[in-house]
């Protein structure tokens, strides 16, 4: 969204295309830099899931809040956070979103209403409800988007949060990103994700998370419900993660062919591209210009990150508390 | 111009890996971002992508090659329009000079002279302990995330599902509080569960069960209920995993009466202490470390090697200063002791091995001999094991001390991500040397 505010001319569906493409190209670059040893630790990519956050953010308004897990680069880009700051953080640089202290999993930007970046599975869910509580207390009609995965939905604190959100009628929109594989885990998938929220009296909807227009439509209904003060809402977005769970996961629990098939038939970016061209909403030439623009943004972010300095040793003891 | 594609590093600690598969053949066109190969280490697998478009000119390292050093050229990428390099059968992948001997097997002390020693890897020592104890006692079961079919996030539970079946090797979803409690109930009722946390940071989700239920029930029941359970998994700093996945729980857990706590360094201790933990009738917190899993130590054929809790291990004798620590910090102490020897200072090195019960006697004996003590640990300083030892030494051996005890610990900050800051946050050998000099007034 804010990416458009920052000067990209596209709006509407062409803008959705651009926003998804920015996430795709950014994540590809992050994966490459990881392979080169420039990104360390855990790095979870969002490739394949771009339509979910892009469709949700399409209905976000100024003042809305968002929180997610460790798989959060896409959410940050969709919230309009500078790609350079995200890339620099992946490289552990002073210019990074967390000044090199957080890394891929732990980035924050309160001025964008982005509250992380959480490494502990499920922990962001009650925190998200708390952000919604603050909005409600301040009598805004802002929505707090609380993103989490299908495996996180198994955590006890998620069930506890449903209970509280329903009880306190909190203005939060739970977005369960069901990317089909919780990780290399062989534990079978839990029961219907949305039924659990419904059992607490929360309104729900399921949506094809590979179709950005469908996500936007579902998000619109949900956000209107929340803004109208009718309490929490949960959306299950059925999506697909192309890559391993993290850079260190070969995803051997599924076939390469399956991933290729999804990519060939349901890719969120390719299918929007085809529809836009088919509808005559955009020309090949405009799309090519967008491709170039996005590639340049990502290259510039990576180049700047590589040039940027590491944090000074003095930074080690800064920001532990408000005093230091 | 052909560019060399080089062996990538999956982590800062990686030195070599296996080139498992090529997904492209010589002559194939590749786009930037195409996955071209799969690289494996003992810990992880990475899909390796082309960073530029071109055509694969020559594969220098064939698939299936093991121990390929990081940065070795593995293939040549030709720019579009380039002619392939003439095939030169003589050209072989240069073998990079081995880096420091960090991965060479470390000789463990204390074995009888003449006994045959062979390298033992920590991860395999742990796996052997689990396998042997599960064979020995049907009540032993394993519960955790990805422990069964996936054979463990760090491959410690390798082979267990095949051998013991899904009734005894149980995969669970991301539900730490509940599966810790599940293990505790099963332990009350007569099983001996080994509960794995993917990372001890996730045990925070289950802290209530560990402390309120596992540790206290024998006492609260006036001795009527036992809780023979082991909570195990990687603890403390790894490689740049950040604040929420890298902290040391040794001192936290050792604070709790009713728990036993082990944090082995050497491979033989990993095996012997895990066997003791599984046989214990009380709850045990068994801390491992990701940086140690792949380390190898020279040890004899161990067999049914059981190391009792509460006995420290002396790695090195020395009359001038006592260094005492545990877990990965033992390696730091040994490095420091080498450096001190070069300065003519003979350091004694004590590995506590277990933090509850804690072998105060061995530490006090050392201090009464050397009159100087430096404690070393990777966890936070306030309320740490080092500060506990300093208090005990002051109380019990005050008259023998020639200097105040020095405590070297991890920095008093959440673990930073940046490589440079992470290195500063952990105690280094030079910090230990510096502290040893200080207590020696040198
Ligand atoms: C409390 C906790 N337990 C385990 C983990 C390890 N872990 C990281 S991601 C993950 C799987 C989560 O899957 P899901 O919620 O579906 O999100 P996705 O990664 O698919 O986006 C696990 C088990 C963790 N980070 N925190
Ligand atoms: Mg998932």
């Amino acid at each position: 969204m804010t990416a458009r505010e920052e000067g990209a001319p596209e709006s509407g569906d062409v803008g959705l295309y651009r926003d998804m493409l920015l996430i795709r190209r950014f994540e590809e670059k992050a994966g490459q830099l990881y392979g080169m040893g420039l990104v360390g630790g855990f790095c979870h990519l969002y490739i394949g899931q771009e339509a979910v956050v892009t469709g949700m953010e399409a209905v976000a308004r100024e003042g809305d809040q968002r929180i997610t897990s460790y798989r959060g680069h896409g959410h940050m880009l969709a919230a309009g956070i500078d790609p350079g700051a995200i890339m620099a953080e992946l490289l552990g640089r002073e210019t990074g979103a967390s000044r090199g202290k957080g890394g891929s999993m732990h980035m924050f930007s309160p001025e964008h209403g982005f509250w992380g970046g959480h490494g502990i599975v499920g922990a962001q869910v009650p925190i998200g409800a708390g952000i919604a509580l603050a909005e409600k207390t301040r009598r805004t009609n802002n929505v707090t988007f609380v993103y989490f995965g299908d495996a996180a939905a198994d955590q006890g604190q998620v069930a506890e949060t449903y209970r509280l959100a329903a009880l306190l009628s909190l203005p939060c929109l739970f977005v369960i990103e069901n990317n089909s594989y919780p990780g290399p885990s062989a534990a079978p998938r839990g029961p219907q994700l949305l039924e659990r929220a419904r059992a607490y009296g929360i309104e729900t909807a399921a949506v094809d998370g590979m179709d950005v227009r469908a996500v936007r439509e579902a998000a619109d209904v949900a956000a209107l419900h929340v803004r109208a003060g009718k309490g929490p809402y949960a959306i299950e977005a059925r999506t697909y993660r192309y890559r391993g769970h993290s850079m260190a996961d070969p995803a051997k629990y599924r076939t390469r062919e399956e991933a290729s098939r999804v990519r060939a038939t349901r890719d969120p970016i390719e299918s929007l591209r085809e529809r836009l061209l088919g509808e005559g909403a955009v020309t090949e030439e405009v799309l090519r210009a967008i491709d170039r623009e996005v590639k340049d943004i990502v290259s510039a972010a990576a180049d700047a990150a590589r040039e940027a300095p590491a944090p000074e040793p003095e930074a080690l003891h800064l920001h532990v508390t408000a005093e230091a | 111009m052909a560019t060399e594609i080089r062996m990538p590093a999956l982590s800062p600690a990686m030195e070599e890996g296996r080139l498992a598969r090529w997904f492209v053949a010589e002559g194939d066109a590749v786009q930037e971002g195409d996955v071209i190969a799969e690289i494996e280490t003992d810990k992880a697998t990475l899909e390796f992508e082309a960073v530029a478009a071109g055509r694969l000119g020559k594969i220098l390292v064939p698939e299936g090659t093991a121990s390929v050093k990081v940065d070795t050229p593995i293939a040549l990428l030709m720019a579009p329009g380039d002619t392939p390099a003439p095939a030169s059968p003589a050209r072989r992948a240069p073998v990079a000079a081995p880096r420091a001997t960090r991965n060479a097997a470390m000789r463990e002390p204390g074995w009888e002279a003449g006994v045959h020693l062979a390298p033992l890897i920590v991860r395999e020592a742990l796996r052997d302990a689990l396998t042997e104890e599960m064979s020995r006692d049907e009540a032993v079961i394993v519960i955790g995330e990805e422990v069964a079919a996936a054979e463990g996030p760090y491959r410690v539970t390798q082979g267990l599902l095949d051998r013991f079946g899904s009734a005894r090797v149980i995969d669970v979803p991301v539900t730490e509080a509940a599966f810790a409690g599940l293990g505790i109930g099963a332990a009350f009722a007569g099983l001996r569960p080994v509960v794995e946390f993917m990372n001890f940071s996730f045990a925070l989700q289950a802290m209530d069960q560990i402390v309120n239920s596992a540790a206290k029930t024998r006492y609260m029941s006036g001795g009527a209920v036992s809780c023979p359970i082991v909570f195990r998994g990687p603890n403390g700093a790894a490689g740049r995993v950040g604040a929420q996945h890298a902290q040391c729980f040794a001192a936290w857990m050792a604070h709790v009466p009713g728990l036993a706590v082990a944090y082995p360094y050497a491979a033989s201790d990993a095996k012997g202490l895990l066997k003791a933990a599984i046989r214990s009738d009380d709850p045990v917190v068994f801390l491992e470390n990701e940086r140690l899993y792949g380390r190898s130590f020279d040890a004899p054929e161990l067999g049914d090697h059981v190391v009792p809790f509460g006995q420290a291990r002396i790695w090195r004798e020395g009359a001038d200063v006592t260094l005492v620590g545990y877990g990965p910090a033992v390696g730091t102490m040994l490095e420091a002791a080498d450096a001190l020897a070069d300065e003519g200072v003979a350091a004694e090195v004590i590995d506590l091995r277990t933090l509850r019960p804690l072998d105060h006697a061995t530490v006090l004996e050392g201090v009464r001999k050397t009159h100087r003590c430096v404690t070393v640990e990777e966890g936070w300083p306030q309320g740490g094991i080092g500060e506990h030892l300093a208090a005990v030494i002051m109380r019990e051996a005050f008259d023998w001390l020639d200097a105040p005890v020095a405590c070297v610990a991890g920095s008093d900050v959440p673990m930073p991500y940046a490589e440079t800051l992470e290195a500063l946050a952990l105690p280094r050998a030079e910090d230990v040397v510096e502290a040893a000099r200080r207590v020696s007034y040198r």
Side-chain angles (χ1 to χ4, degrees):
Chain A
M1 302 232 15
T2 322
R4 282 196 293 284
E5 285 155 30
E6 275 167 7
E10 301 79 29
S11 60
D13 291 5
V14 179
L16 297 180
Y17 173 81
R18 179 198 174 274
D19 292 353
M20 291 197 290
L21 195 68
L22 177 63
I23 297 174
R24 174 74 53 93
R25 295 285 172 262
F26 182 95
E27 294 291 65
E28 286 169 351
K29 182 63 84 181
Q32 289 166 11
L33 295 175
Y34 191 94
M36 294 163 74
L38 288 166
V39 179
F42 291 116
C43 182
H44 308 80
L45 302 182
Y46 197 61
I47 296 178
Q49 300 180 219
E50 296 91 346
V52 181
V53 82
T54 305
M56 297 304 304
E57 285 287 352
V59 308
R61 296 185 190 162
E62 186 70 36
D64 283 351
Q65 309 292 312
R66 61 233 1 117
I67 191 167
T68 188
S69 71
Y70 45 82
R71 195 182 300 286
H73 311 159
H75 301 73
M76 299 183 73
L77 292 167
I81 298 170
D82 170 23
I86 310 170
M87 199 67 93
E89 188 60 32
L90 296 183
L91 270 65
R93 305 301 162 115
E94 172 65 39
T95 51
S98 294
R99 301 184 186 210
K101 287 177 156 178
S104 166
M105 297 192 289
H106 312 298
M107 287 187 248
F108 303 83
S109 183
E111 61 273 30
H112 293 89
F114 180 76
W115 299 99
H118 295 262
I120 300 301
V121 169
Q124 77 273 24
V125 180
I127 300 171
I131 291 163
L133 174 65
E135 293 296 335
K136 184 178 161 105
T137 306
R138 281 198 293 264
R139 296 172 196 278
T140 71
N141 65 355
N142 296 332
V143 174
T144 300
F145 295 85
V146 182
Y147 296 89
F148 55 101
D150 45 295
D154 286 335
Q155 279 287 41
Q157 56 183 322
V158 172
E160 294 173 28
T161 303
Y162 287 158
R163 171 81 175 104
L164 292 175
L167 180 73
L168 303 174
S169 190
L170 297 180
C172 61
L173 206 173
F174 299 109
V175 185
I176 309 172
E177 299 199 52
N178 184 353
N179 58 9
S180 312
Y181 290 95
S185 176
R189 177 168 313 292
Q192 293 299 313
L193 294 165
L194 291 179
E195 280 174 13
R196 299 184 226 175
R198 271 203 298 280
Y200 290 92
I202 294 173
E203 293 266 350
T204 67
V207 64
D208 177 359
M210 304 301 273
D211 178 348
V212 68
R213 287 173 168 170
V215 175
R216 181 180 54 192
E217 215 167 287
D220 199 31
V221 172
L224 281 176
H225 170 100
V226 174
R227 282 190 221 284
K230 294 183 187 163
Y233 198 103
I235 288 179
E236 176 190 352
R238 296 185 183 144
T239 174
Y240 195 90
R241 167 169 55 64
Y242 291 172
R243 296 298 190 86
H245 166 72
S246 71
M247 287 304 297
D249 167 29
K252 290 205 164 131
Y253 38 85
R254 67 181 187 204
T255 62
R256 180 170 292 277
E257 289 65 41
E258 179 188 306
S260 310
R261 194 178 59 242
V262 174
R263 205 168 184 147
T265 57
R266 293 177 60 204
D267 185 75
I269 299 174
E270 264 318 300
S271 43
L272 182 65
R273 182 190 174 95
E274 277 162 26
R275 282 153 74 181
L276 289 173
L277 287 170
E279 291 158 7
V282 72
T283 61
E284 290 270 10
E285 201 186 336
V286 169
L287 293 179
R288 265 198 302 279
I290 293 173
D291 290 0
R292 270 196 305 277
E293 180 227 0
V294 161
K295 210 163 177 193
D296 289 347
I297 291 173
V298 170
S299 298
D303 291 346
R306 295 179 72 156
E307 296 293 311
E312 295 293 331
E314 296 74 50
L316 181 65
H317 290 280
L318 293 180
H319 312 299
V320 178
T321 63
E323 284 76 44
Chain B
M1 253 296 289
T3 19
E4 285 174 337
I5 302 177
R6 288 164 182 273
M7 183 73 173
L10 308 198
S11 70
M14 173 172 162
E15 295 183 354
E16 56 178 43
R18 195 175 100 88
L19 206 168
R21 256 177 97 181
W22 279 109
F23 294 118
V24 284
E26 287 180 3
D28 282 1
V30 294
Q31 291 303 315
E32 180 183 348
D34 280 357
V35 175
I36 56 172
E38 190 173 279
I39 312 284
E40 283 177 1
T41 64
D42 55 354
K43 182 185 137 198
T45 308
L46 176 84
E47 291 182 336
F48 185 47
E49 291 172 4
V51 286
R55 201 160 26 76
L56 202 69
K58 181 110 197 90
I59 287 179
L60 302 172
V61 176
E63 67 179 23
T65 309
S67 306
V68 183
K69 303 274 179 236
V70 165
D71 225 28
T72 305
I74 54 174
L76 294 178
L77 188 69
M78 321 299 292
D82 255 7
T83 44
S88 53
R91 168 126 200 194
R92 298 223 3 250
V95 177
R99 289 198 217 167
T101 52
R102 195 139 55 98
N103 272 338
M106 161 98 70
R107 199 193 151 87
E108 293 190 16
W111 306 116
E112 275 169 45
V115 64
H116 174 71
L117 302 182
L120 177 65
I121 294 169
V122 171
R123 171 199 324 280
E124 290 167 8
L126 293 164
R127 180 201 62 196
D128 292 351
L130 287 168
T131 310
E132 289 170 26
E133 292 308 298
M134 290 186 81
S135 307
R136 183 178 170 273
D137 182 352
E138 283 201 339
V140 180
I141 61 168
V142 168
I143 300 174
E145 292 167 39
E146 300 173 22
V147 294
E151 303 197 300
Y154 298 96
R155 306 210 183 148
V156 172
T157 53
Q158 204 167 30
L160 297 186
L161 176 67
D162 271 355
R163 181 135 177 204
F164 301 105
S166 57
R168 291 180 67 199
V169 184
I170 302 170
D171 265 333
V172 286
V174 193
T175 50
E176 285 85 1
F179 73 71
L182 187 85
I184 291 167
F188 286 177
L191 297 185
R192 290 185 174 270
V194 177
V195 172
E196 171 172 316
F197 294 111
M198 273 187 158
N199 181 305
F200 248 89
S201 296
F202 313 152
L204 285 174
Q205 301 280 321
M207 204 62 168
D208 173 69
Q209 290 290 3
I210 296 170
V211 177
N212 263 331
S213 308
K216 298 177 183 174
T217 298
R218 180 185 297 285
Y219 190 82
M220 294 190 300
S221 67
V225 179
S226 296
C227 187
I229 190 168
V230 178
F231 299 104
R232 54 156 289 272
N235 169 72
R240 301 185 67 191
V241 294
Q244 291 187 328
H245 285 61
Q247 87 179 59
C248 180
F249 289 90
W252 279 57
M253 298 287 185
H255 187 63
V256 183
L259 293 182
V261 182
Y263 199 176
Y265 170 65
S268 69
D269 291 331
K271 180 172 185 187
L273 288 166
L274 184 52
K275 287 173 87 92
I278 293 170
R279 292 183 199 182
S280 165
D281 288 331
D282 286 309
V284 176
V285 171
F286 191 91
L287 304 172
E288 300 158 11
N289 184 277
E290 194 186 324
R291 282 137 59 222
L292 293 179
Y293 280 141
R295 291 283 288 276
S296 98
F297 290 82
D298 276 339
E301 191 66 49
L302 291 173
D304 194 22
H305 178 66
V306 180
V307 174
F309 275 50
Q311 288 183 13
R313 183 175 199 183
I314 298 178
W315 279 80
R316 205 171 157 132
E317 308 277 355
D320 298 332
V321 59
T322 296
L323 309 180
V324 51
Y326 56 92
V330 175
T332 316
M333 293 194 296
L334 291 170
E335 215 182 298
D338 278 341
L340 286 165
D342 292 343
E343 299 180 9
V345 176
E348 173 187 49
V349 176
I350 300 177
D351 171 2
L352 291 170
R353 300 198 288 194
T354 65
L355 306 162
R356 183 184 270 268
L358 196 155
D359 185 358
H360 295 112
T362 296
V363 177
L364 290 168
E365 205 177 298
V367 172
R368 290 190 180 114
K369 195 174 60 195
T370 64
H371 313 294
R372 303 164 201 282
C373 184
V374 176
T375 68
V376 189
E377 64 195 321
E378 295 197 340
W380 291 315
Q382 183 167 337
I385 299 293
E387 295 196 346
H388 162 75
L389 286 174
V392 171
I393 294 167
M394 183 183 68
R395 195 168 65 225
E396 307 287 333
F398 187 74
D399 291 337
W400 281 268
L401 279 178
D402 283 347
V405 173
C407 297
V408 176
S411 292
D412 200 13
V413 302
M415 187 59 72
Y417 165 75
E419 203 166 4
T420 45
L421 296 182
E422 186 185 51
L424 288 177
L426 290 169
R428 291 156 299 178
E430 56 259 45
D431 302 324
V432 179
V433 169
E434 163 58 32
R437 284 193 200 120
R438 212 162 58 235
V439 299
S440 310
Y441 305 108
R442 290 165 73 104

